Amino acid sequence: MSRTTPIVHKTRTQLVVEVLREKILSGEIAAGEPLRQSALAEALNVSRIPVREALLQLEAEGLVKFEPHKGATATELSVAQVTELFELRAMIETDLLAKAIPQLQAEDLIKAERVLEQLESAFKHEDAVASWSELNTQFHTCLYQAANRPHTLEVVHGLNTNCDRYIRLQLLLAGGIPAAEHEHRELLNYCKQRETEKATALLRHHILHAATTIRDLVAKQVV
């Protein structure tokens, strides 16, 4: 008996969240741009209720900000935010990886390799930019999950959502794709070899070097 992929039914709010998130992360909605609920509802052909619910969820993700007498706006790019987010990632993710490596099973590494191949393929196509973040998160999750720290992993996913548009800036504007590809491959090899110290050192460099590049880009954009 063949297995079929279950149909995932999404609410209107979920669909609006996905559309607005992608527009903010891609830069189609610029940082600081007002998000008028009535205009968004009309453009997306929905009522204002799912739009408001979506904006509240995006506020929790750090992509939208509510201000008195101004309403919702896309959050501004911030050098200080880059520093905080990426330093947090470096601390949490290296610890998570160190705990995971001794527990990694063959199937974890096979899955990570398959996802990495998909990510490398997506990097070669500009129309696949929207999939970069999801595939990157899937790859790292394959390596971290064996740590059996679900709450920590949830925090990491939240940080990654907030870092997404910054990472896209680095990959698209600073030629970061070749380095990302090389470092991902090297990281996977260290994990296969159970080289915990080398893997965590590389991961820390991978995150903090990206932060340095992104800070320079953001500083130019906010001047």
Side-chain angles (χ1 to χ4, degrees), residues 75-90:
T75 52
E76 299 277 356
L77 297 172
S78 162
V79 171
Q81 187 183 52
V82 172
T83 300
E84 181 179 7
L85 288 173
F86 282 76
E87 285 182 357
L88 274 171
R89 282 189 57 205

Side-chain angles (χ1 to χ4, degrees), residues 33 35 51 59 67 71 76 80 83 85 94 133 145 148-149 152 154 166 174 176 180-181 187 194 197 205 209 215 220:
E33 183 175 331
L35 299 167
V51 171
E59 181 188 32
E67 298 179 84
E76 299 277 356
T83 300
L85 288 173
T94 52
S133 175
Q145 221 155 18
N148 195 26
R149 293 288 198 278
T152 308
E154 190 176 335
Y166 292 119
E181 289 183 318
L187 181 63
R194 314 291 173 175
E197 287 188 16
H205 167 80
H209 179 69
R215 275 196 298 267
K220 292 174 184 174

Side-chain angles (χ1 to χ4, degrees), residues 67-134:
E67 298 179 84
H69 313 299
K70 192 175 179 181
T73 58
T75 52
E76 299 277 356
L77 297 172
S78 162
V79 171
Q81 187 183 52
V82 172
T83 300
E84 181 179 7
L85 288 173
F86 282 76
E87 285 182 357
L88 274 171
R89 282 189 57 205
M91 286 190 292
I92 296 172
E93 291 185 42
T94 52
D95 181 65
L96 202 53
L97 183 62
K99 288 180 169 66
I101 287 176
Q103 309 301 326
L104 281 170
Q105 302 298 310
E107 54 265 32
D108 297 321
L109 296 167
I110 290 169
K111 186 177 178 183
E113 182 126 32
R114 286 175 181 162
V115 174
L116 185 53
E117 288 169 357
Q118 292 176 48
L119 178 58
E120 289 168 344
S121 176
F123 277 153
K124 293 176 174 62
H125 301 93
E126 286 191 9
D127 59 355
V129 171
S131 70
W132 291 359
S133 175
E134 183 181 352

